[in-house]
Amino acid sequence: MWHERPAARRLVASGVLAVCVALVSSACDQSTPTNPQTPSNPAMTVESFVGTLPKGGTVFYSFTVPVEGTVSFTLLSLTIGGVPSDLAISIGLGVPSGTTCRTSSTGPVTVGPTPQQANPVVPSVYCVNVVDLGTLTADANFALNINRPR
Amino acid sequence: MRSLALALIVLSVAGAGCGDSTPTEPTPQGASAFTETFTGTLKASGTAFYSFGAIGGNVAITFASLTNTMTGAVVGATPRIGLGIPAGTGCGLSTSLTSAAALSAQIVTTLAPGIYCVSITDTGGVTADSDFAIRITQGSLALLSTTSPETFNSNLSVNGSSTRTFTVAGGTGTGLATVRLDSVSPSTVIGFGIGLWRFDTGTCSLTQVINSSGGAQFSLPIDQGTYCVRVFDTGTLTNPVAFAANLIHP
């Protein structure tokens, strides 16, 4: 059988896939709490995502994780009109899908020197989605570090 | 249904990985062939990309339509079409080429399961916002060709249009489609085009257009898929006309 489907159905499929992976991953963690599945010390690298987050907007950045491990995000700076801001924006790990980054986990973060979010991952292509939560008063420049296995 | 199937596959594969110290990425298996269409607006000097999951196997990328957003006129530009992996804020291309819109794939390749992207970039031929359609086909579609040859005779009202869809079977490779506007009565110039049928919007994304009062025809390579012939008033009709067209395809 074949399906000539709208992009929306593909996005739904991707979403289902992501949710299933998250659920099963969670279940695995609960069943083996003393036996973490992540390799102990995969070699890591840092990618920098520097850009402008439009007021009310969303931007994303894609990256490849070649081996299992943990991806963490650190929002290093957020400025509006050149002035540092302590406003929270949303950052989430996702999978590139269509013209967007379909996130499986998101959370509000503020600028800080240490990772604000960490996610276990298996080898694949991922993206980080950066979203204005509705609090920006103007376009904001940001710098985000992506620490990932290499 | 496919979402459910994917969910079951992922649950099965990922579930089997519990306790395994080196789980591998879940891979949908036995997924059916399908198409998806990347549509959007390309600005002058602009670029756009679209990410998709490959199930593993043959993938055909067809840049099928580019039309002026305001007027709907076909744009004869040759943007760069590429295939790659999402990287940074774009699509990291592994292959690309420049091409005019067509109904046979410009890029055909075999992909391992994973996440990939297609991109379109203006190379200077786009001077105004233009709507594009790029078809991504995975596998050989279990399509049956519609009747060929087929007549398409109807009436066209003032400011109106008339569309006929047709299907080219999967597994037939690239064949030749010929569509001909035989006559317009009374003799009047009308628009006559061929393009990609969009199931998501129920519209015809035009690939080529000719203005004719009869005798015009297109002959162009065509792959598996569903297409459309569109006859429309270009703004010159003052009274309804009758037209007769003919379609021949694989």
Side-chain angles (χ1 to χ4, degrees), chain A residues 98-99, chain B residues 37-52 61-67 69 75-84 89-93 95-102 106-107 116-126 128-136 206:
Chain A
T99 57
Chain B
T37 307
F38 169 31
T39 59
T41 301
L42 184 63
K43 294 182 176 299
S45 302
T47 188
F49 74 99
Y50 178 95
S51 304
F52 65 96
I61 310 297
T62 308
F63 165 48
S65 180
L66 187 67
T67 58
T69 301
V75 177
T78 56
R80 179 164 294 280
I81 307 302
L83 172 67
T89 55
C91 181
L93 300 182
T95 185
S96 71
L97 49 78
T98 58
S99 176
Q106 292 93 351
I107 298 174
Y116 299 87
C117 50
V118 294
S119 72
I120 179 170
T121 304
D122 175 36
T123 57
V126 173
D129 288 4
S130 299
D131 296 336
F132 64 84
I134 298 174
R135 180 180 60 190
I136 304 162
L206 291 170

Side-chain angles (χ1 to χ4, degrees), chain A residues 47-68:
Chain A
E47 289 189 47
S48 294
F49 178 22
V50 178
T52 301
L53 177 61
K55 180 178 183 295
T58 300
V59 293
F60 71 94
Y61 181 99
S62 304
F63 54 94
T64 297
V65 175
V67 297
E68 183 185 8

Side-chain angles (χ1 to χ4, degrees), chain A residues 45-118:
Chain A
T45 188
V46 176
E47 289 189 47
S48 294
F49 178 22
V50 178
T52 301
L53 177 61
K55 180 178 183 295
T58 300
V59 293
F60 71 94
Y61 181 99
S62 304
F63 54 94
T64 297
V65 175
V67 297
E68 183 185 8
T70 298
V71 170
S72 62
F73 302 128
T74 308
L75 180 63
L76 295 172
S77 71
L78 182 72
T79 61
I80 299 176
V83 178
S85 171
D86 59 1
L87 291 174
I89 59 175
S90 174
I91 289 177
L93 176 70
V95 175
S97 178
T99 57
T100 66
C101 175
R102 178 154 290 270
T103 53
S104 51
S105 65
T106 62
V109 301
T110 54
V111 170
T114 56
Q116 294 98 354
Q117 193 179 104

